[in-house]
Amino acid sequence: MIIDAKQKKRVMTAASVFAIALGTGFLMQNLGPMADQFADRQAEKSASAAAPTKASLQPLSSALQKSSPAPNQTDSQSQAPAAPVRMASVLPTISPMSLAPDSLPTADGVASACALKLKATAQQAALVQLTLTAPCNGGQPVTVKHGPLSFTDITANDGTFTVTVPALSATAAFEARFDSGERAFAMTLVEGLDDHRRVALTWQGNIGLALHALEKGAEYDTGGHISAAHPATASRALSGEGGFLTVLGSADLPGARMAEVYSYPAALEGEVQLNVEAAVTEATCGAEMSANILSLGIKGYASHALTATMPGCDAVGEHLMFFDVQPEVRLASAE
């Protein structure tokens, strides 16, 4: 590749390094005695001859049977009613209750007002708008994951967060997770995904990385140069003119996961050069740089490692450039 004088000023080292990593009733009852004592009183023959009768505990089956009067009993005695049968139960009374999923009681018995909700809405250009509602997580970091793509941002003070994410699959599933472990999920169907291509650069921390797309042989700082400084819009892809860049994540959060996703019409495949630029700073000079390139493969979008040792601190202010970072995809031919 021939690098003109302008590029030489911004390019210190050209490299293209890749390490592909294809990489749960029963009802338990505790019944006490099933019935109280059942006993028949015999008529007193005389006050002095009366003998106390001890009540006895009988099985439930025999207690329910009617007792026959004794042969020497009078008619009035034979018509005396049997002792009433009383059933005892220790089962608690259960009232029907209907709870909506979002108002299920928490461990302390109080209906939760902190339930997380994540909504995914498909949009044009194979994009998905995510809307997160987290009433009790205002101003907190949240990491969004979509397949091999992940990034970290922060919720508003009221716990809401909205972002537009380029879809990497037709059945697009998303997860929003807080550092506490709380998480929410959403899924949507995306139309027209095959009409678009994506290439993403992902990394962690503020290490000065940037993705640059040069369309149809464009030079830097011209109309066909797409970067975070000139991201363009999805209308370019819808019209077939070119691509656009989506920046995801908050660089202000220490250790945040970051991503830049370049999207372009499938018809332009082969006509776009993608470069990665790494700034040499006081924080990165002489250190190991690690990032990933996400691109379309045979089994969907996959991650490919991009690593290098940054120049020494005497090169602070310069840039390390990786040219043509999009891996070549070789599709298996049909037999």
Side-chain angles (χ1 to χ4, degrees), residues 13 45 81 87 138 154 181 213 220:
T13 307
K45 296 181 179 180
M87 299 294 293
I154 190 167
Y220 275 84

Side-chain angles (χ1 to χ4, degrees), residues 225-234 236 243-247 261-263:
H225 174 204
I226 308 300
S227 67
H230 302 283
T233 63
R236 294 186 80 239
F244 61 99
L245 193 78
T246 305
V247 179
V261 185
Y262 172 67
S263 305

Side-chain angles (χ1 to χ4, degrees), residues 203-209 250-258 279 281 283-284:
W203 69 93
Q204 188 169 1
N206 190 356
I207 57 176
L209 293 181
S250 175
D252 295 332
L253 292 173
R257 296 180 182 274
M258 301 291 298
T281 68
T284 64

Side-chain angles (χ1 to χ4, degrees), residues 183-198:
R183 54 185 178 172
F185 302 88
M187 180 180 293
T188 189
L189 298 179
V190 178
E191 296 182 356
L193 183 66
D194 291 340
D195 296 331
H196 303 271
R197 295 289 182 267
R198 322 274 198 211

Side-chain angles (χ1 to χ4, degrees), residues 301-323:
Y301 283 86
S303 176
H304 313 272
L306 179 66
T307 60
T309 300
M310 295 294 288
C313 294
D314 57 341
V316 169
E318 300 291 341
H319 292 80
L320 179 66
M321 186 74 78
F322 300 84
F323 291 101

Side-chain angles (χ1 to χ4, degrees), residues 38 43 55 68 73 76 83 95 101 117 121 125 159 165 170 172 174-175 185 191 199 232 244 257 259 262 265 292 307:
F38 298 96
S68 300
Q73 287 181 323
S76 62
S95 301
K117 294 181 181 179
T121 305
V165 183
F174 299 86
E175 174 190 275
F185 302 88
E191 296 182 356
V199 176
F244 61 99
R257 296 180 182 274
Y262 172 67
N292 287 280
T307 60

Side-chain angles (χ1 to χ4, degrees), residues 111-178:
S112 174
C114 299
L116 306 183
K117 294 181 181 179
L118 183 63
K119 181 180 179 181
T121 305
Q123 298 184 325
Q124 290 184 313
L127 299 173
V128 176
Q129 184 182 66
L130 293 181
T131 302
L132 174 66
T133 303
C136 299
N137 299 85
Q140 295 184 15
V142 58
T143 297
V144 177
K145 181 176 175 58
H146 170 47
L149 178 68
S150 64
F151 58 92
T152 308
D153 216 310
I154 190 167
T155 60
N157 290 334
D158 61 357
T160 59
F161 174 67
T162 302
V163 66
T164 299
V165 183
L168 301 182
S169 59
T171 303
F174 299 86
E175 174 190 275
R177 186 185 187 99
F178 288 94

